[in-house]
């Protein structure tokens, strides 16, 4: 109820907003405040060196891939992936997930993320562990698609 009230106040103050994206790379397309944030936010400045050395931002790239899939928006997820094959379509629906990151290693413009993932896909629970390969490009960390496809999940055919 509080979220709804906050959202209504923001929209009332700033007017109706038609944008579907915000300049904040970690606000998923189905977040309750996406439209309001798009209306009031400016374009944030990115300190590239700080972003390149941030294990938080590297881990967040993986989370945003999953958030986009949870929203049913492969386009959102693709913005956080590198090397996604042309015409890729997710063959499953991600209802929920739990991501546990054991470690993040960054070196220059590449890195890796050691993790375990528990996901509910098409109503069934799936557990996987692996290493996601990362690349720094376009002022942000991205997850290499082939390292996700190695999981054998219908989300990454």
């Amino acid at each position: 109820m509080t979220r709804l009230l906050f959202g209504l106040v923001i929209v009332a103050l700033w007017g109706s907003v038609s944008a579907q994206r915000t300049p904040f790379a970690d606000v998923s397309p189905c977040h309750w405040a996406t439209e309001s944030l798009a209306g009031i936010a400016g374009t944030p400045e990115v300190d590239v060196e700080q972003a390149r050395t941030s294990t938080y931002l590297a881990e967040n790239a993986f989370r945003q891939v999953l958030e986009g899939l949870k929203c049913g928006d492969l386009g959102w997820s693709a913005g956080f992936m590198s090397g996604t094959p042309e015409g890729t379509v997710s063959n499953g629906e991600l209802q929920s997930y739990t991501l546990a990151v054991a470690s993040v290693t960054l070196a220059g413009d590449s890195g890796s993320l050691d993790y375990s993932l528990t996901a509910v896909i098409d109503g069934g629970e799936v557990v996987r562990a692996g290493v996601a390969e990362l690349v720094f490009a376009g002022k942000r960390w991205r997850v290499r698609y082939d390292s996700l496809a190695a999981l054998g999940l219908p989300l990454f055919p």
Side-chain angles (χ1 to χ4, degrees):
M1 182 66 169
T2 303
R3 287 181 176 181
L4 176 61
L5 183 58
F6 176 75
L8 292 174
V9 168
I10 294 296
V11 169
L13 289 173
W14 296 98
S16 179
V17 178
S18 61
Q20 295 299 313
R21 305 280 192 226
T22 73
F24 303 110
D26 59 353
V27 177
S28 68
C30 63
H31 188 275
W32 65 270
T34 298
E35 290 186 14
S36 296
L37 287 172
I40 62 173
T43 303
E45 289 295 318
V46 175
D47 181 332
V48 175
E49 266 319 298
Q50 188 174 16
R52 182 179 282 120
T53 59
S54 172
T55 58
Y56 170 79
L57 293 177
E59 179 180 332
N60 190 54
F62 193 106
R63 289 188 188 283
Q64 293 310 313
V65 168
L66 296 171
E67 283 296 316
L69 292 170
K70 194 169 102 180
C71 294
D73 191 337
L74 187 61
W76 172 265
S77 295
F80 292 90
M81 292 188 284
S82 173
T84 306
E86 193 73 30
T88 298
V89 177
S90 179
N91 295 325
E93 183 181 330
L94 178 63
Q95 283 90 32
S96 64
Y97 71 90
T98 302
L99 178 65
V101 175
S103 65
V104 178
T105 304
L106 305 177
D109 289 341
S110 63
S112 63
L113 185 139
D114 187 8
Y115 66 92
S116 62
L117 173 70
T118 303
V120 177
I121 302 171
D122 297 329
E125 185 174 279
V126 179
V127 178
R128 296 284 195 278
V131 176
E133 295 176 31
L134 305 166
V135 61
F136 190 80
K139 299 182 181 180
R140 72 165 75 162
W141 284 102
R142 298 174 192 271
V143 182
R144 289 186 43 144
Y145 179 86
D146 55 353
S147 68
L148 296 174
L151 290 173
L153 297 175
L155 302 172
F156 310 106

